[in-house]
Amino acid sequence: MQTEPGAPPQRPYVLLSCAMSIDGCLDAPGPQRLILSGDADLDRVDAERAEADAIMVGAATIRRDNPRLLIRSAARRAVRIARDLPEHPARVTLTASGDLDPGAQFFATDGAGAVVYCAAPQAPQLQLRLNELAQVIAVPPPVELVAILADLSRRGVRRLLVEGGARLGREFLAAGLVDELALAIAPFFVGAAGAPRFAGPAVYPHGPGWPMHLAEVRRLDEVVLLRYLLGGDGPARGETWARPDRGDRATEADGARGPQDPGDRDPGAGAIRGGP
């Protein structure tokens, strides 16, 4: 059911986005980052960032890809400022180990700033290391996505864009915490056994008996965008969440491609899990 009008949502509307090869790879093995989309898809991603209140990536994505997570278009930034919003959405990550470099672009001072959800034992030391670069929020292990989303909602985040990488996306999907899924499919194969793949083994609520709704198919140069809606009651989510009203959008949300990463969390951070 939909939340009552005027009632604060229990969690933000979640758009999960990724780009993958024909054979489902999110990246190639090795240190070289694989480029999976072109200019048209990157512009679509920029539009999705402009509509988000916050963008989330895993700590491993920050270490591997060093993403900026900023809006490129000056016109889109100007629209946000005119709407009395920060120039860039807040940047959010979560970590069990606290292994984050203060020099990462994630901690740039642009826009709404950075928020780090960190396992409580490591949080004080991480806050000391980051100083004023980010707000570090201590959470008792295991760090659960449900609790993080509830806290983001209390902080005014109504629309969350999840951009990477493989493990974080899998946990969001398996926990039934995704409202919209955007898959950008590149026109080639990777074929490497060690490449990280989209939606690895897990128990997903959207199986054959409860399929997702295909809302859009769009060609972006040689990339194909598939946009799915995951609404409706299901075993892993208690409610269907209302999509925030975005009256200033020219079109419906299409999703956004995030950084490709073989894992979203700290390697070996088994204390972090998705659902209740």
Side-chain angles (χ1 to χ4, degrees):
M1 66 186 136
Q2 184 172 325
T3 53
E4 292 297 325
Q10 297 181 34
R11 67 165 175 82
Y13 182 92
V14 175
L15 167 61
L16 172 63
S17 174
C18 68
M20 66 183 187
S21 63
I22 288 289
D23 52 338
C25 296
L26 299 173
D27 204 347
Q32 187 81 25
R33 182 180 177 186
L34 178 66
I35 303 301
L36 287 157
S37 62
D39 291 341
D41 188 50
L42 291 175
D43 185 67
R44 175 190 62 81
V45 172
D46 201 57
E48 285 298 346
R49 287 182 177 181
E51 291 298 335
D53 298 306
I55 304 171
M56 178 184 286
V57 295
T61 296
I62 296 173
R63 290 191 291 267
R64 175 180 170 85
D65 294 337
N66 195 24
R68 298 176 68 235
L69 304 180
L70 302 178
I71 300 168
R72 299 183 180 187
S73 166
R76 289 176 180 134
R77 296 197 302 269
V79 169
R80 286 180 60 90
I81 293 172
R83 290 164 52 193
D84 199 27
L85 296 173
E87 186 176 11
H88 302 278
R91 299 175 296 281
V92 182
T93 192
L94 55 164
T95 176
S97 69
D99 181 17
L100 290 169
D101 181 3
Q105 295 185 112
F106 179 87
F107 298 112
T109 57
D110 308 73
V115 178
V116 179
Y117 290 91
C118 181
Q122 286 74 37
Q125 184 177 3
L126 179 60
Q127 184 68 83
L128 185 64
R129 190 162 69 251
L130 294 177
N131 196 3
E132 297 182 356
L133 294 175
Q135 182 179 6
V136 177
I137 300 172
V139 288
V143 181
E144 295 185 349
L145 291 177
V146 169
I148 290 173
L149 292 179
D151 186 72
L152 287 172
S153 181
R154 288 190 293 268
R155 295 171 186 273
V157 175
R158 296 182 64 238
R159 183 177 178 87
L160 176 67
L161 177 61
V162 179
E163 287 203 7
R167 181 174 176 180
L168 188 63
R170 181 179 73 247
E171 291 181 350
F172 263 97
L173 287 168
L177 296 172
V178 176
D179 299 285
E180 186 175 334
L181 171 63
L183 296 176
I185 303 176
F188 54 78
F189 299 85
V190 173
R197 282 175 162 77
F198 170 72
V203 177
Y204 296 100
H206 287 280
W210 189 39
M212 302 178 294
H213 171 66
L214 179 60
E216 181 183 8
V217 178
R218 193 197 314 178
R219 177 175 178 174
L220 298 168
D221 297 330
E222 296 302 311
V223 171
V224 174
L225 172 70
L226 302 177
R227 185 169 65 88
Y228 294 94
L229 301 180
L230 289 74
D233 291 341
R237 55 185 299 184
E239 299 183 38
T240 301
W241 303 92
R243 179 174 187 156
D245 181 20
R246 298 288 180 174
D248 54 319
R249 293 179 63 83
T251 60
E252 277 195 315
D254 310 305
R257 172 186 174 275
Q260 275 60 62
D261 192 272
D264 303 276
R265 308 289 183 77
D266 308 296
I272 300 181
R273 53 191 173 92

